[in-house]
Amino acid sequence: MVAPEDKRQKIEHDNPKGIARSRVFQPFRALGYITDDIPFVVETRGQDFFLTTSVGYNFQTYSMDKMRLLFVSPRTPKRITAMAAAAGITYIAYGSTIAGYKRGKEFVKLGGDGDYIILQILVLGQHIASLCDDNVLRMWNIVDGDLYTEIEFGATFTATKMIHPLTYLNKILVGSAQGSMQIWNVRISKMIYEFQSFGSAISCLEQSPVVDVIAIGLLDGRTVLHNIRMDEKIDTVHQADRVTAITFRTDEEQMMATANMHGDVALWDLSTRKLAHNMKAAHNGLISSVAFLNNQPILVTAGADNAVTQWIFEKLNSVPLPLRGRSGHYAPPAKIKYYGDDGKTILSAGRDQALRWFSTFQDAQSVELSQGSIAKKAKARDVSLESLKLPIITDFAFEKAKEKEWANVLTAHMNDIGARTWSTKNKALSDHTLLSIDKSIIKAVSVSACGNFGFAGCASGQIEMFNMQSGLHRRTFGGPNGHKKAITGLASDATNRHLISVSVDRTVKIWDFQKGEVLHTISLETPIVGLQFHKDNNLLAVACDDLGIRVIDIETQKIVREFWGHRNRITDFCFSPDGRWIVSASLDATVRTWDLPSSTMVDIFKVEDVVSSLTFSPTGDFLATTHVGNLGIFLWANRLQFANISLRSIADDEVSEVLALPSLEGLGDEGTELAPPLSLGEELGTAEQLTEQMITLSLEPRAKWQNLLNLDTIKKRNKPKEAPKAPEQAPFFLPTVAGPKARFDLSEDKSIGSEKDTHRLQFSKLDMRTEFCKKLESGHKSNDYTEFVAYAKSLSPSNMDVELRTMPVDGDLTYLNHFIDAILFMLRSRKNFEMAQAWLNAFLGIHGDLMIANSENPIHAKLSEVLSAQNDEFGRLSSQIHYGLCLIDFARK
């Protein structure tokens, strides 16, 4: 079945209708970001150490005892380029601005008015110095925010790094790309001394524990220990390629650590001036910073591979061991899926050849699943770590049923004929490798609902079935009726009756699980690139090369829905947990939500970076996405979980504005609380009554009329154990206003001064009517009780009870008649129906004996009218209910 040509070919309109934002999904937070290539900052407070790392537009602070994330800063307007810390304050630079933060909250801002980028900052007491990309050193006063001084370097001196040597008051040592160094007095803006060139660009500077001695890292891999007071070279060590960071131990051991751009850390014994140990591949790629904790045998390293690691040195051993750390993907993740039914864990496979476990609640529980002792093997064979890792994971599947007994995750790898098994219990690779029988590449995998069997779909079109516990081959799904080309997706049902497969040969095949025979074949006119199967409703969704998504009912083998709208290849799609929606993403950078019952698109939003994979939380509260060129996993909150949103069909010519990806601080895209849902198109108001023929209830809480009916029971239950204390009495001269609420009449007496003051009580001027009675009387005169009903609805149950009990009673029962008229008005207008029933019940209970005693009063005729109106409405409602029940019963049969 192929869609009509007008559906499949999308035309760009000149003036498309704009959608302000996604109706369904709200940016929430990002996961998996640890650090980038900006050097970290370590701060000591007493016996505790705190680590601050940069992650693009935010910075994060960790407690180093257990690497617990303490807080995340708000998003900065520009990317962070430098960091420093002093006296409990973290200073960060972005663009030409320096901002100071205390516990993640900004309290000072400096600069920001220049067209330059700050590359490094240094705190000097009440001043902060910055090295900028325009070859100028600028210094600000932190207290008043004024620019203190500017030092411009000449064309023959391109500043790269700076440091404040210990005990050198008001002095800054600056290194250059020409290999020379200069000492400047920043108080008088004067150069004190210039050193000869070291023959290579200076890439880093570090103060040693010895005064006057500075470690100088060079671009050619040399590290020079230099006495700047005597201008003498003490020693030189060499490491492969550019030196990126240097640090010194401050305990009893004399050791220096240098890092390079390839991820190696060299440990130098300064007492013997020899290499003590070379930590090959400590990180995957450039190491941005290294630091020994003060008086601790612990080395902290961070690299551009999105990882921070602590290494501990045992006594009399120069070989460090990993102590603790935090890491994430260092290449963009390619496929993600929620694990389990609680929505707290995401499994992620990245292009860094890793399978990772991410916790959406506790970041400290996020780990990489182990692939064995490959680091030890890489060191023994003198090869890179990546060469021993498994190939990039292209597909994975899992089931929780047997996770505590044996391996429950199955992965397919790029250009590999073997599928690997993993254990989520052990967070590690298992023993079995499931090889394809015909030695063809495995393209897709699946695990049965019972967790006992794994399926591998091959490029040849065959499907192999293995036992997950033993790894033994059990059955082959193939033969003359099988697929002729590569398998692109596999799924099994919840009862192990059927296996479903799709292929680029344009067919969907349903197999007998036990016999391995084809039961049904569904042919399409376009290759199929992926499938998603919803086990609860037996609906199969397939994405095809013609940019359409087709939904197939497995029971009838019929296509029941088709969705068209994407303008480029579909990258991923998934069902919502209840099976009502399909959410899909494509290379057109849009994420679309399709509603199955109405067969329409109900939401669309666009992102800057193409979505590579997405998955819906089993609890329905979050959509998780990964994006091309991004290392993190992004969570989008489902607004329907916390707001009433009316969805409507979205036309093909409507496009959405580009939404920013969720940020790290766990809030919305604006850094504030989640925005309320916005309406699309016309404003949708709530009508008081859709039609006069419908019985309409009030919008008041149910407790408002339920408590009125049970007020006596509530008062008895809430009766105080002790006698209540008498309230403080108001002054005798403050007049009160009649009514159930204790209110004082603070209005001025207009007659004061116009008449002679008197202490006589004038009964003719007393008005005992409450606001309740006044509105009741006004409604009787106008024959419209709308204002009275609105006022009565505003009263609490206890106040309503007081008003009913204190209604004035005369010989004609005037106000009682007015109240029955108001009830008749509510019943005939069919508004506030449940409030009318509750008020009438309470009224009859209070004044029933009085009405019985006055048998000749017209109120009896009005009560008959109320009874007649009640019978008419109940009869009409009852007939509609019975009609609906009969219709439902007929549809069931």
Side-chain angles (χ1 to χ4, degrees):
M1 181 181 292
V2 180
E5 201 67 25
D6 60 341
K7 280 192 175 182
R8 290 195 289 166
Q9 295 181 356
K10 300 301 175 184
I11 301 173
E12 296 289 347
H13 294 266
D14 293 333
N15 297 309
K17 301 176 184 177
I19 297 176
R21 65 190 308 148
S22 168
R23 288 273 289 168
V24 177
F25 299 107
Q26 169 79 30
F28 182 63
R29 63 170 297 207
L31 305 173
Y33 284 100
I34 308 299
T35 185
D36 56 14
D37 57 353
I38 303 300
F40 60 62
V41 175
V42 176
E43 191 173 8
T44 305
R45 300 178 192 171
Q47 298 296 320
D48 298 325
F49 298 93
F50 298 91
L51 176 75
T52 302
T53 64
S54 167
V55 279
Y57 294 86
N58 305 81
F59 66 87
Q60 302 178 137
T61 300
Y62 297 88
S63 174
M64 298 196 67
D65 56 350
K66 293 183 180 178
M67 286 302 292
R68 292 180 294 108
L69 180 63
L70 299 181
F71 51 81
V72 181
S73 75
R75 183 181 174 90
T76 57
K78 297 181 179 179
R79 196 173 188 86
I80 296 174
T81 56
M83 296 193 302
I89 300 172
T90 302
Y91 298 93
I92 65 166
Y94 54 88
S96 60
T97 303
I98 299 175
Y101 290 80
K102 196 165 186 178
R103 293 196 63 82
K105 304 295 183 182
E106 181 183 318
F107 76 98
V108 67
K109 185 178 287 187
L110 309 170
D113 54 355
D115 188 18
Y116 55 85
I117 297 176
I118 297 174
L119 303 177
Q120 186 185 354
I121 55 178
L122 197 64
V123 181
L124 302 172
Q126 292 186 348
H127 298 84
I128 186 166
S130 66
L131 200 60
C132 309
D133 66 344
D134 58 355
N135 208 28
V136 176
L137 188 151
R138 295 176 173 84
M139 182 175 288
W140 283 273
N141 188 313
I142 299 175
V143 178
D144 55 24
D146 295 336
L147 183 65
Y148 181 74
T149 186
E150 281 187 341
I151 299 175
E152 296 186 11
F153 302 102
T156 60
F157 187 90
T158 305
T160 56
K161 293 291 178 180
M162 65 178 176
I163 191 175
H164 170 58
L166 289 177
T167 72
Y168 283 62
L169 186 64
N170 299 325
K171 308 297 189 304
I172 289 182
L173 176 66
V174 184
S176 70
Q178 290 75 22
S180 59
M181 297 190 301
Q182 296 177 355
I183 295 182
W184 285 79
N185 187 319
V186 293
R187 187 175 63 85
I188 59 176
S189 301
K190 182 179 179 181
M191 186 178 68
I192 305 299
Y193 186 78
E194 183 169 7
F195 298 85
Q196 294 295 320
S197 173
F198 291 95
S200 181
I202 296 175
S203 57
C204 61
L205 297 171
E206 182 67 23
Q207 173 71 55
S208 76
V210 179
V211 177
D212 303 328
V213 178
I214 301 294
I216 306 163
L218 303 177
L219 193 63
D220 60 5
R222 287 181 294 148
T223 301
V224 180
L225 293 176
H226 199 83
N227 188 317
I228 58 174
R229 180 177 292 276
M230 306 300 296
D231 193 7
E232 292 181 353
K233 182 178 71 174
I234 299 174
D235 197 9
T236 301
V237 295
H238 191 275
Q239 191 177 10
D241 285 320
R242 174 164 66 101
V243 179
T244 57
I246 306 172
T247 186
F248 292 87
R249 282 185 71 168
T250 54
D251 55 359
E252 65 275 7
E253 298 292 332
Q254 298 179 11
M255 181 176 287
M256 177 179 68
T258 61
N260 68 3
M261 59 185 297
H262 298 299
D264 304 331
V265 179
L267 303 174
W268 306 92
D269 189 336
L270 298 180
S271 60
T272 61
R273 299 190 177 186
K274 292 182 179 180
L275 178 66
H277 181 65
N278 189 17
M279 300 166 58
K280 292 283 291 183
H283 287 270
N284 293 284
L286 180 144
I287 296 179
S288 59
S289 50
V290 295
F292 278 105
L293 298 186
N294 190 31
N295 291 322
Q296 298 284 335
I298 295 177
L299 174 67
V300 185
T301 62
D305 61 348
N306 196 27
V308 174
T309 307
Q310 295 185 39
W311 310 81
I312 188 168
F313 291 81
E314 296 179 351
K315 198 169 185 180
L316 304 176
N317 188 358
S318 60
V319 180
L321 300 175
L323 178 61
R324 61 179 70 92
R326 298 287 294 273
S327 63
H329 284 293
Y330 62 87
K335 192 172 187 63
I336 57 173
K337 288 183 182 179
Y338 265 97
Y339 179 84
D341 299 326
D342 56 2
K344 295 183 179 180
T345 306
I346 296 175
L347 278 180
S348 169
R351 302 194 66 83
D352 55 0
Q353 303 167 260
L355 182 64
R356 288 189 170 271
W357 172 286
F358 284 98
S359 172
T360 60
F361 284 73
Q362 294 290 335
D363 287 340
Q365 297 178 3
S366 301
V367 295
E368 178 183 351
L369 272 65
S370 172
Q371 297 187 22
S373 55
I374 55 176
K376 186 182 295 184
K377 294 177 182 178
K379 180 182 177 181
R381 301 176 187 176
D382 195 22
V383 295
S384 65
L385 196 66
E386 287 76 10
S387 63
L388 296 182
K389 279 190 171 183
L390 295 174
I392 295 173
I393 296 173
T394 56
D395 190 23
F396 66 87
F398 54 82
E399 280 295 339
K400 286 196 66 177
K402 300 292 184 181
E403 65 175 348
K404 296 183 179 180
E405 300 177 34
W406 53 72
N408 65 319
V409 180
L410 188 61
T411 58
H413 301 263
M414 183 178 292
N415 300 324
D416 198 351
I417 63 172
R420 270 71 177 191
T421 58
W422 306 70
S423 171
T424 55
K425 176 185 176 183
N426 301 327
K427 303 293 189 298
L429 182 69
S430 295
D431 299 331
H432 304 304
T433 300
L434 313 182
L435 299 174
S436 60
I437 301 302
D438 58 0
K439 305 301 180 185
S440 59
I441 297 172
I442 295 177
K443 293 290 189 178
V445 292
S446 180
V447 179
S448 64
C450 62
N452 291 313
F453 302 103
F455 302 92
C458 305
S460 62
Q462 278 195 176
I463 304 170
E464 311 294 349
M465 175 177 169
F466 298 88
N467 185 286
M468 291 292 289
Q469 181 182 11
S470 63
L472 298 178
H473 182 264
R474 291 302 184 206
R475 187 174 295 111
T476 297
F477 296 79
N481 295 327
H483 291 288
K484 302 300 185 289
K485 294 183 180 180
I487 304 295
T488 54
L490 293 171
S492 61
D493 64 359
T495 57
N496 287 356
R497 293 173 56 242
H498 300 137
L499 175 68
I500 306 163
S501 62
V502 297
S503 169
V504 292
D505 65 3
R506 306 182 182 186
T507 61
V508 178
K509 292 188 182 292
I510 303 174
W511 305 77
D512 186 290
F513 192 97
Q514 304 299 330
K515 299 178 181 179
E517 299 174 353
V518 176
L519 298 178
H520 305 282
T521 299
I522 304 169
S523 297
L524 305 179
E525 296 188 11
T526 180
I528 304 170
V529 297
L531 69 77
Q532 291 292 333
F533 180 60
H534 198 280
K535 295 181 179 179
D536 293 340
N537 57 19
N538 277 341
L539 290 180
L540 175 73
V542 294
C544 303
D545 265 351
D546 60 359
L547 312 184
I549 298 175
R550 295 168 172 83
V551 181
I552 301 171
D553 188 345
I554 296 301
E555 295 297 330
T556 61
Q557 298 89 49
K558 301 292 184 182
I559 297 177
V560 295
R561 291 289 186 272
E562 289 188 6
F563 298 111
W564 304 90
H566 284 296
R567 304 178 184 180
N568 209 327
R569 184 173 66 85
I570 297 171
T571 56
D572 201 6
F573 63 107
C574 66
F575 278 100
S576 62
D578 57 4
R580 182 182 179 88
W581 294 342
I582 291 178
V583 183
S584 61
S586 78
L587 292 179
D588 60 10
T590 61
V591 178
R592 301 171 187 253
T593 303
W594 313 90
D595 186 66
L596 268 71
S598 62
S599 190
T600 58
M601 180 173 66
V602 294
D603 185 60
I604 177 176
F605 67 92
K606 197 169 187 178
V607 289
E608 295 177 353
D609 302 312
V610 173
V611 175
S612 57
S613 182
L614 55 82
T615 178
F616 220 120
S617 166
T619 55
D621 48 3
F622 293 110
L623 176 73
T625 61
T626 59
H627 299 259
V628 174
N630 291 270
L631 303 181
I633 298 174
F634 302 91
L635 300 182
W636 306 77
N638 181 4
R639 292 187 178 193
L640 266 70
Q641 297 283 55
F642 53 84
N644 293 322
I645 300 175
S646 178
L647 299 178
R648 64 175 178 86
S649 174
I650 296 177
D652 291 340
D653 62 342
E654 295 187 8
V655 296
S656 63
E657 295 181 358
V658 177
L659 294 186
L661 295 180
S663 56
L664 281 165
E665 65 265 29
L667 298 173
D669 52 350
E670 302 297 330
T672 56
E673 64 181 13
L674 294 178
L678 301 179
S679 61
L680 293 179
E682 69 279 356
E683 295 290 336
L684 298 177
T686 302
E688 184 182 7
Q689 191 175 28
L690 297 179
T691 173
E692 294 181 357
Q693 302 302 318
M694 293 182 64
I695 295 176
T696 306
L697 306 181
S698 70
L699 296 179
E700 299 298 320
R702 182 182 299 179
K704 204 157 194 176
W705 55 268
Q706 281 187 337
N707 290 353
L708 180 62
L709 300 178
N710 302 285
L711 200 59
D712 293 337
T713 305
I714 294 173
K715 288 181 178 180
K716 186 176 181 181
R717 183 186 62 194
N718 296 339
K719 185 178 180 181
K721 297 180 180 179
E722 298 179 0
K725 296 180 180 179
E728 184 178 351
Q729 294 186 359
F732 67 92
F733 51 82
L734 286 181
T736 58
V737 179
K741 298 179 181 179
R743 293 183 293 123
F744 298 110
D745 185 5
L746 302 180
S747 59
E748 296 181 0
D749 189 0
K750 304 298 182 182
S751 63
I752 294 179
S754 60
E755 296 182 3
K756 185 178 179 180
D757 295 340
T758 177
H759 294 285
R760 292 181 180 179
L761 188 63
Q762 301 180 19
F763 288 98
S764 61
K765 293 186 177 182
L766 288 179
D767 187 0
M768 300 300 295
R769 296 178 305 161
T770 64
E771 188 70 18
F772 182 87
C773 294
K774 290 178 182 178
K775 290 191 178 294
L776 196 58
E777 187 174 354
S778 174
H780 174 71
K781 291 179 181 179
S782 62
N783 201 26
D784 184 0
Y785 290 90
T786 304
E787 288 188 11
F788 165 76
V789 173
Y791 175 77
K793 284 168 62 178
S794 68
L795 298 177
S796 66
S798 57
N799 286 346
M800 187 66 183
D801 182 72
V802 171
E803 290 284 10
L804 292 177
R805 293 181 183 277
T806 57
M807 289 175 65
V809 178
D810 55 13
D812 296 332
L813 305 182
T814 304
Y815 286 98
L816 273 63
N817 276 276
H818 294 347
F819 185 82
I820 295 299
D821 288 336
I823 296 296
L824 259 175
F825 172 82
M826 296 171 69
L827 293 177
R828 287 169 178 168
S829 63
R830 299 189 178 97
K831 297 179 182 178
N832 305 299
F833 208 76
E834 86 282 19
M835 300 299 288
Q837 306 298 321
W839 293 348
L840 182 60
N841 184 296
F843 175 80
L844 294 177
I846 295 171
H847 299 290
D849 54 348
L850 187 60
M851 291 183 288
I852 292 173
N854 293 268
S855 57
E856 301 298 328
N857 195 283
I859 198 170
H860 290 275
K862 295 178 180 179
L863 286 175
S864 298
E865 293 182 39
V866 169
L867 181 60
S868 177
Q870 289 272 45
N871 290 334
D872 291 344
E873 293 302 328
F874 179 76
R876 196 165 62 91
L877 182 63
S878 178
S879 64
Q880 294 292 334
I881 292 175
H882 282 88
Y883 176 80
L885 291 176
C886 291
L887 190 63
I888 293 172
D889 188 58
F890 174 77
R892 284 177 178 173
K893 295 180 179 179

